[in-house]
Amino acid sequence: DAKTTQPNSMESNEEEPVHLPCNHSTISGTDYIHWYRQLPSQGPEYVIHGLTSNVNNRMASLAIAEDRKSSTLILHRATLRDAAVYYCILRGNTGGFKTIFGAGTRLFVKA
Amino acid sequence: DTEVTQTPKHLVMGMTNKKSLKCEQHMGHRAMYWYKQKAKKPPELMFVYSYEKLSINESVPSRFSPECPNSSLLNLHLHALQPEDSALYLCASSRGRTDNQPQHFGDGTRLSIL
């Protein structure tokens, strides 16, 4: 299974942008990059996903490197409610379409 | 509020008990999943159902027995569990197993084994 590498934790100030990096150097051509987040005492929540092009939705933006070996989740204005563990996951045919969670990045947001 | 409903929210059981966890979704999804999550660890995939048939079993001990009675319901039957099975059990669903559409998660059942 293709693996992802994320920093253990990051800190941000409220109302500032946050860039959460993910490395996936063994990604295959058919693997999609998915991001989920898990708030305290809740199940994981889908954030965004993409294949090659950058993607935007109401929650965040996903910037994918041209060689697809890394990606960055961008929260445009962090709020206290964005404090969570963020998971970058590869999902595709080579991994049997399993959603395998890595350790994730714990995001702390300061008021 | 989540669109995947799990009951009960909390469960305490002895090692000799038999209990079941339930999961329900009404989004028309045809793939359903069970995950186990220990404290401060990421979720671990246990089972995947696709069109009510077991598609993936991640070498889970037989004391966990999944069941998918119809496309909206997913059960996890528990018997003779061990203390190390205490964890948060998460259910998820998605439109299909292989279409790369998002998974929707419930908030889990927190299970404690005495």
Side-chain angles (χ1 to χ4, degrees):
Chain A
D1 294 341
K3 296 288 190 287
T4 62
T5 305
Q6 300 177 252
N8 289 335
S9 65
M10 290 185 65
E11 197 172 84
S12 171
N13 294 317
E14 198 176 12
E15 298 191 6
E16 289 186 358
V18 182
H19 290 232
L20 297 163
C22 181
N23 288 320
H24 29 78
S25 58
T26 59
I27 191 170
S28 75
T30 56
D31 285 337
Y32 278 75
I33 302 158
H34 289 244
W35 284 83
Y36 286 79
R37 71 180 185 180
Q38 189 170 19
L39 280 66
S41 302
Q42 294 186 22
E45 174 187 29
Y46 166 78
V47 178
I48 201 166
H49 76 287
L51 184 62
T52 55
S53 305
N54 294 346
V55 184
N56 300 297
N57 67 21
R58 63 173 180 81
M59 289 182 70
S61 296
L62 176 59
I64 301 173
E66 197 169 331
D67 64 4
R68 299 203 336 119
K69 293 183 186 296
S70 66
S71 60
T72 302
L73 179 71
I74 302 165
L75 306 180
H76 296 287
R77 287 181 71 231
T79 69
L80 296 178
R81 289 182 296 176
D82 292 321
V85 179
Y86 287 78
Y87 296 102
C88 167
I89 296 160
L90 301 183
R91 185 173 154 87
N93 189 41
T94 53
F97 289 93
K98 296 179 187 178
T99 299
I100 305 298
F101 287 80
T105 297
R106 185 172 294 276
L107 176 65
F108 297 93
V109 180
K110 296 187 298 184
Chain B
D1 288 343
T2 180
E3 297 165 307
V4 175
T5 304
Q6 292 188 243
T7 55
K9 292 192 186 306
H10 301 273
L11 179 61
V12 179
M13 59 186 285
M15 288 189 283
T16 58
N17 293 154
K18 285 184 182 181
K19 296 284 185 183
S20 297
L21 309 184
K22 294 186 185 303
C23 174
E24 191 167 2
Q25 57 88 13
H26 296 288
M27 294 176 282
H29 290 173
R30 303 313 298 267
M32 297 188 77
Y33 311 78
W34 280 115
Y35 292 82
K36 173 183 178 180
Q37 186 174 26
K38 300 284 277 184
K40 302 209 181 295
K41 297 291 187 183
E44 298 175 15
L45 183 65
M46 298 175 72
F47 302 104
V48 181
Y49 272 83
S50 179
Y51 289 84
E52 295 103 68
K53 288 187 170 28
L54 185 62
S55 183
I56 295 175
N57 176 345
E58 290 287 90
S59 303
V60 179
S62 60
R63 58 186 184 268
F64 295 91
S65 175
E67 178 197 21
C68 190
N70 61 57
S71 59
S72 300
L73 292 174
L74 185 66
N75 297 322
L76 186 62
H77 302 297
L78 314 173
H79 174 54
L81 295 195
Q82 304 298 308
E84 60 265 28
D85 297 323
S86 297
L88 181 68
Y89 288 85
L90 293 160
C91 174
S93 70
S94 67
R95 194 180 69 186
R97 188 177 78 81
T98 61
D99 59 9
N100 267 302
Q101 289 303 301
Q103 292 186 14
H104 296 248
F105 284 81
D107 285 335
T109 293
R110 191 161 298 282
L111 177 65
S112 297
I113 307 300
L114 300 179

